[in-house]
Amino acid sequence: MIDVLNLALPYFGLIFLGFASGRVTRIPVTGLAWMDFFILWMTLPALFYRILAKTPFEQLNNVPFIATATLGTFTVLMLSLGIAYLIRRDLAEAAIGQLAGAYGNIGYMGPGLALATVGAQAAAPVALIFCFETLLFFSIVPFLMALARPLGKGFGATALDVVRRIALHPLMVASALGALSAALRFEPPAAIDKLLLFLSNASAPCALFTLGVTVALRRLNGVPWDVPVLVLIKLVLHPVVAMVLLTTFGPFDPNWVKTAVLMAALPPALSVFVLARQYQAWLEPASALVLIGTLISVATLTTVMWLVQNGMLDRFLLR
């Protein structure tokens, strides 16, 4: 257990250092703007490019795994959408609320934790899960928002806007370039590769610290009762659904299954609040959810990591 704590605590420690800094210091939230830009446009794209570029292309062409892992996330997403809509009776708020039960911190926490827990074998499934879940989330939210709050655009214009947002997202561009580099077996010059290494090594510390600061700067004005329900779905039901589907429709490489379960167990992403702020929907619940989900995941995610590290999931996979 001490080995798992040694893996998990530095990640949560960075979040809580950011949280404490945000509570103690008086730097305004606008001070995070350049940090957000650095993370989204520099460090995370470098990380995902290197992960994909250094993964044999044959491993990236695993359609059954992609379909099954994405089906698990989509199942939880639809369940969360139904619950959020039944409670809120507002499609725009439900569109944000659905993310609470399915959208984990796959960009900030996922790569570092998966590689540290499972090993180098986690690189390919992490990259595939990130690419296709990002594609899923960034497709369905704008689509539902267009239905909930039509702006006079036709269906074609709305669809084109959604495609453009997905195609030009920096993480999607970096992932596509990484996959292309893997297919062509392209290796960047040593100096460029070193720069990408510096940037990718900065991604997790900067992202997790920023997550803590951002959560600290949000004020918790009560917790709507739908928040704990959605947190429970994200932290408990999502990894269970991932495990059941991947073992039912497999067999898949056990390390890939463990990586997918670990990614499913991640706490709700900060992007839930970012999208809530962008669309001005479900704003206060989103703030509470990120904070509560992150706190509870200290116990739930550490438990999943312990199960992975101690081979407990292997026993289930071998049945």
mmCIF file with all atom_site columns, all heavy atoms in Angstrom, residues 228-241:
data_model
loop_
_atom_site.group_PDB
_atom_site.id
_atom_site.type_symbol
_atom_site.label_atom_id
_atom_site.label_alt_id
_atom_site.label_comp_id
_atom_site.label_asym_id
_atom_site.label_entity_id
_atom_site.label_seq_id
_atom_site.pdbx_PDB_ins_code
_atom_site.Cartn_x
_atom_site.Cartn_y
_atom_site.Cartn_z
_atom_site.occupancy
_atom_site.B_iso_or_equiv
_atom_site.pdbx_formal_charge
_atom_site.auth_seq_id
_atom_site.auth_comp_id
_atom_site.auth_asym_id
_atom_site.auth_atom_id
_atom_site.pdbx_PDB_model_num
ATOM 1   N N   . PRO A 1 228 ? -23.530 14.921 -5.619  1.00 0.00 ? 228 PRO A N   1
ATOM 2   C CA  . PRO A 1 228 ? -22.984 13.659 -5.108  1.00 0.00 ? 228 PRO A CA  1
ATOM 3   C C   . PRO A 1 228 ? -23.390 12.437 -5.911  1.00 0.00 ? 228 PRO A C   1
ATOM 4   O O   . PRO A 1 228 ? -22.630 11.474 -6.012  1.00 0.00 ? 228 PRO A O   1
ATOM 5   C CB  . PRO A 1 228 ? -23.525 13.588 -3.671  1.00 0.00 ? 228 PRO A CB  1
ATOM 6   C CG  . PRO A 1 228 ? -24.615 14.578 -3.589  1.00 0.00 ? 228 PRO A CG  1
ATOM 7   C CD  . PRO A 1 228 ? -24.300 15.634 -4.585  1.00 0.00 ? 228 PRO A CD  1
ATOM 8   N N   . VAL A 1 229 ? -24.582 12.470 -6.517  1.00 0.00 ? 229 VAL A N   1
ATOM 9   C CA  . VAL A 1 229 ? -25.013 11.334 -7.355  1.00 0.00 ? 229 VAL A CA  1
ATOM 10  C C   . VAL A 1 229 ? -24.091 11.199 -8.561  1.00 0.00 ? 229 VAL A C   1
ATOM 11  O O   . VAL A 1 229 ? -23.615 10.107 -8.895  1.00 0.00 ? 229 VAL A O   1
ATOM 12  C CB  . VAL A 1 229 ? -26.470 11.525 -7.816  1.00 0.00 ? 229 VAL A CB  1
ATOM 13  C CG1 . VAL A 1 229 ? -26.874 10.415 -8.790  1.00 0.00 ? 229 VAL A CG1 1
ATOM 14  C CG2 . VAL A 1 229 ? -27.407 11.537 -6.620  1.00 0.00 ? 229 VAL A CG2 1
ATOM 15  N N   . LEU A 1 230 ? -23.786 12.308 -9.210  1.00 0.00 ? 230 LEU A N   1
ATOM 16  C CA  . LEU A 1 230 ? -22.940 12.279 -10.390 1.00 0.00 ? 230 LEU A CA  1
ATOM 17  C C   . LEU A 1 230 ? -21.485 11.968 -10.035 1.00 0.00 ? 230 LEU A C   1
ATOM 18  O O   . LEU A 1 230 ? -20.781 11.298 -10.798 1.00 0.00 ? 230 LEU A O   1
ATOM 19  C CB  . LEU A 1 230 ? -23.044 13.614 -11.135 1.00 0.00 ? 230 LEU A CB  1
ATOM 20  C CG  . LEU A 1 230 ? -24.423 13.873 -11.764 1.00 0.00 ? 230 LEU A CG  1
ATOM 21  C CD1 . LEU A 1 230 ? -24.535 15.312 -12.257 1.00 0.00 ? 230 LEU A CD1 1
ATOM 22  C CD2 . LEU A 1 230 ? -24.685 12.907 -12.913 1.00 0.00 ? 230 LEU A CD2 1
ATOM 23  N N   . VAL A 1 231 ? -21.039 12.439 -8.876  1.00 0.00 ? 231 VAL A N   1
ATOM 24  C CA  . VAL A 1 231 ? -19.686 12.103 -8.419  1.00 0.00 ? 231 VAL A CA  1
ATOM 25  C C   . VAL A 1 231 ? -19.567 10.601 -8.189  1.00 0.00 ? 231 VAL A C   1
ATOM 26  O O   . VAL A 1 231 ? -18.560 9.968  -8.555  1.00 0.00 ? 231 VAL A O   1
ATOM 27  C CB  . VAL A 1 231 ? -19.323 12.882 -7.137  1.00 0.00 ? 231 VAL A CB  1
ATOM 28  C CG1 . VAL A 1 231 ? -18.065 12.320 -6.489  1.00 0.00 ? 231 VAL A CG1 1
ATOM 29  C CG2 . VAL A 1 231 ? -19.128 14.363 -7.446  1.00 0.00 ? 231 VAL A CG2 1
ATOM 30  N N   . LEU A 1 232 ? -20.593 10.016 -7.593  1.00 0.00 ? 232 LEU A N   1
ATOM 31  C CA  . LEU A 1 232 ? -20.600 8.568  -7.360  1.00 0.00 ? 232 LEU A CA  1
ATOM 32  C C   . LEU A 1 232 ? -20.548 7.797  -8.684  1.00 0.00 ? 232 LEU A C   1
ATOM 33  O O   . LEU A 1 232 ? -19.821 6.802  -8.808  1.00 0.00 ? 232 LEU A O   1
ATOM 34  C CB  . LEU A 1 232 ? -21.852 8.180  -6.569  1.00 0.00 ? 232 LEU A CB  1
ATOM 35  C CG  . LEU A 1 232 ? -21.987 6.697  -6.189  1.00 0.00 ? 232 LEU A CG  1
ATOM 36  C CD1 . LEU A 1 232 ? -20.889 6.309  -5.210  1.00 0.00 ? 232 LEU A CD1 1
ATOM 37  C CD2 . LEU A 1 232 ? -23.356 6.410  -5.598  1.00 0.00 ? 232 LEU A CD2 1
ATOM 38  N N   . ILE A 1 233 ? -21.296 8.269  -9.677  1.00 0.00 ? 233 ILE A N   1
ATOM 39  C CA  . ILE A 1 233 ? -21.268 7.622  -10.984 1.00 0.00 ? 233 ILE A CA  1
ATOM 40  C C   . ILE A 1 233 ? -19.863 7.688  -11.576 1.00 0.00 ? 233 ILE A C   1
ATOM 41  O O   . ILE A 1 233 ? -19.336 6.696  -12.091 1.00 0.00 ? 233 ILE A O   1
ATOM 42  C CB  . ILE A 1 233 ? -22.286 8.283  -11.936 1.00 0.00 ? 233 ILE A CB  1
ATOM 43  C CG1 . ILE A 1 233 ? -23.713 7.963  -11.493 1.00 0.00 ? 233 ILE A CG1 1
ATOM 44  C CG2 . ILE A 1 233 ? -22.068 7.815  -13.377 1.00 0.00 ? 233 ILE A CG2 1
ATOM 45  C CD1 . ILE A 1 233 ? -24.782 8.708  -12.279 1.00 0.00 ? 233 ILE A CD1 1
ATOM 46  N N   . LYS A 1 234 ? -19.232 8.859  -11.468 1.00 0.00 ? 234 LYS A N   1
ATOM 47  C CA  . LYS A 1 234 ? -17.907 9.031  -12.078 1.00 0.00 ? 234 LYS A CA  1
ATOM 48  C C   . LYS A 1 234 ? -16.841 8.183  -11.390 1.00 0.00 ? 234 LYS A C   1
ATOM 49  O O   . LYS A 1 234 ? -16.026 7.531  -12.061 1.00 0.00 ? 234 LYS A O   1
ATOM 50  C CB  . LYS A 1 234 ? -17.485 10.522 -12.008 1.00 0.00 ? 234 LYS A CB  1
ATOM 51  C CG  . LYS A 1 234 ? -16.109 10.787 -12.596 1.00 0.00 ? 234 LYS A CG  1
ATOM 52  C CD  . LYS A 1 234 ? -16.111 10.595 -14.094 1.00 0.00 ? 234 LYS A CD  1
ATOM 53  C CE  . LYS A 1 234 ? -14.745 10.320 -14.683 1.00 0.00 ? 234 LYS A CE  1
ATOM 54  N NZ  . LYS A 1 234 ? -14.250 8.972  -14.481 1.00 0.00 ? 234 LYS A NZ  1
ATOM 55  N N   . LEU A 1 235 ? -16.808 8.205  -10.068 1.00 0.00 ? 235 LEU A N   1
ATOM 56  C CA  . LEU A 1 235 ? -15.704 7.592  -9.338  1.00 0.00 ? 235 LEU A CA  1
ATOM 57  C C   . LEU A 1 235 ? -15.892 6.091  -9.081  1.00 0.00 ? 235 LEU A C   1
ATOM 58  O O   . LEU A 1 235 ? -14.910 5.380  -8.893  1.00 0.00 ? 235 LEU A O   1
ATOM 59  C CB  . LEU A 1 235 ? -15.494 8.306  -7.999  1.00 0.00 ? 235 LEU A CB  1
ATOM 60  C CG  . LEU A 1 235 ? -15.112 9.787  -8.086  1.00 0.00 ? 235 LEU A CG  1
ATOM 61  C CD1 . LEU A 1 235 ? -14.933 10.371 -6.704  1.00 0.00 ? 235 LEU A CD1 1
ATOM 62  C CD2 . LEU A 1 235 ? -13.849 9.981  -8.918  1.00 0.00 ? 235 LEU A CD2 1
ATOM 63  N N   . VAL A 1 236 ? -17.137 5.618  -9.081  1.00 0.00 ? 236 VAL A N   1
ATOM 64  C CA  . VAL A 1 236 ? -17.393 4.215  -8.764  1.00 0.00 ? 236 VAL A CA  1
ATOM 65  C C   . VAL A 1 236 ? -17.964 3.456  -9.967  1.00 0.00 ? 236 VAL A C   1
ATOM 66  O O   . VAL A 1 236 ? -17.432 2.415  -10.381 1.00 0.00 ? 236 VAL A O   1
ATOM 67  C CB  . VAL A 1 236 ? -18.347 4.086  -7.555  1.00 0.00 ? 236 VAL A CB  1
ATOM 68  C CG1 . VAL A 1 236 ? -18.619 2.610  -7.260  1.00 0.00 ? 236 VAL A CG1 1
ATOM 69  C CG2 . VAL A 1 236 ? -17.743 4.766  -6.333  1.00 0.00 ? 236 VAL A CG2 1
ATOM 70  N N   . LEU A 1 237 ? -19.054 3.979  -10.538 1.00 0.00 ? 237 LEU A N   1
ATOM 71  C CA  . LEU A 1 237 ? -19.724 3.237  -11.614 1.00 0.00 ? 237 LEU A CA  1
ATOM 72  C C   . LEU A 1 237 ? -18.906 3.218  -12.898 1.00 0.00 ? 237 LEU A C   1
ATOM 73  O O   . LEU A 1 237 ? -18.833 2.184  -13.575 1.00 0.00 ? 237 LEU A O   1
ATOM 74  C CB  . LEU A 1 237 ? -21.106 3.840  -11.872 1.00 0.00 ? 237 LEU A CB  1
ATOM 75  C CG  . LEU A 1 237 ? -21.953 3.112  -12.930 1.00 0.00 ? 237 LEU A CG  1
ATOM 76  C CD1 . LEU A 1 237 ? -22.225 1.682  -12.493 1.00 0.00 ? 237 LEU A CD1 1
ATOM 77  C CD2 . LEU A 1 237 ? -23.258 3.857  -13.177 1.00 0.00 ? 237 LEU A CD2 1
ATOM 78  N N   . HIS A 1 238 ? -18.291 4.337  -13.249 1.00 0.00 ? 238 HIS A N   1
ATOM 79  C CA  . HIS A 1 238 ? -17.545 4.409  -14.509 1.00 0.00 ? 238 HIS A CA  1
ATOM 80  C C   . HIS A 1 238 ? -16.442 3.345  -14.592 1.00 0.00 ? 238 HIS A C   1
ATOM 81  O O   . HIS A 1 238 ? -16.372 2.613  -15.594 1.00 0.00 ? 238 HIS A O   1
ATOM 82  C CB  . HIS A 1 238 ? -16.977 5.817  -14.703 1.00 0.00 ? 238 HIS A CB  1
ATOM 83  C CG  . HIS A 1 238 ? -16.456 6.073  -16.077 1.00 0.00 ? 238 HIS A CG  1
ATOM 84  N ND1 . HIS A 1 238 ? -15.865 7.254  -16.428 1.00 0.00 ? 238 HIS A ND1 1
ATOM 85  C CD2 . HIS A 1 238 ? -16.407 5.294  -17.198 1.00 0.00 ? 238 HIS A CD2 1
ATOM 86  C CE1 . HIS A 1 238 ? -15.485 7.197  -17.702 1.00 0.00 ? 238 HIS A CE1 1
ATOM 87  N NE2 . HIS A 1 238 ? -15.805 6.016  -18.182 1.00 0.00 ? 238 HIS A NE2 1
ATOM 88  N N   . PRO A 1 239 ? -15.568 3.219  -13.588 1.00 0.00 ? 239 PRO A N   1
ATOM 89  C CA  . PRO A 1 239 ? -14.550 2.153  -13.697 1.00 0.00 ? 239 PRO A CA  1
ATOM 90  C C   . PRO A 1 239 ? -15.143 0.747  -13.709 1.00 0.00 ? 239 PRO A C   1
ATOM 91  O O   . PRO A 1 239 ? -14.595 -0.154 -14.354 1.00 0.00 ? 239 PRO A O   1
ATOM 92  C CB  . PRO A 1 239 ? -13.655 2.384  -12.472 1.00 0.00 ? 239 PRO A CB  1
ATOM 93  C CG  . PRO A 1 239 ? -14.427 3.255  -11.553 1.00 0.00 ? 239 PRO A CG  1
ATOM 94  C CD  . PRO A 1 239 ? -15.327 4.071  -12.419 1.00 0.00 ? 239 PRO A CD  1
ATOM 95  N N   . VAL A 1 240 ? -16.269 0.543  -13.011 1.00 0.00 ? 240 VAL A N   1
ATOM 96  C CA  . VAL A 1 240 ? -16.913 -0.768 -13.014 1.00 0.00 ? 240 VAL A CA  1
ATOM 97  C C   . VAL A 1 240 ? -17.437 -1.094 -14.412 1.00 0.00 ? 240 VAL A C   1
ATOM 98  O O   . VAL A 1 240 ? -17.245 -2.210 -14.928 1.00 0.00 ? 240 VAL A O   1
ATOM 99  C CB  . VAL A 1 240 ? -18.053 -0.820 -11.981 1.00 0.00 ? 240 VAL A CB  1
ATOM 100 C CG1 . VAL A 1 240 ? -18.874 -2.098 -12.155 1.00 0.00 ? 240 VAL A CG1 1
ATOM 101 C CG2 . VAL A 1 240 ? -17.492 -0.747 -10.566 1.00 0.00 ? 240 VAL A CG2 1
ATOM 102 N N   . VAL A 1 241 ? -18.095 -0.122 -15.063 1.00 0.00 ? 241 VAL A N   1
ATOM 103 C CA  . VAL A 1 241 ? -18.608 -0.325 -16.422 1.00 0.00 ? 241 VAL A CA  1
ATOM 104 C C   . VAL A 1 241 ? -17.458 -0.609 -17.380 1.00 0.00 ? 241 VAL A C   1
ATOM 105 O O   . VAL A 1 241 ? -17.544 -1.515 -18.233 1.00 0.00 ? 241 VAL A O   1
ATOM 106 C CB  . VAL A 1 241 ? -19.403 0.913  -16.881 1.00 0.00 ? 241 VAL A CB  1
ATOM 107 C CG1 . VAL A 1 241 ? -19.717 0.835  -18.377 1.00 0.00 ? 241 VAL A CG1 1
ATOM 108 C CG2 . VAL A 1 241 ? -20.696 1.035  -16.095 1.00 0.00 ? 241 VAL A CG2 1
#
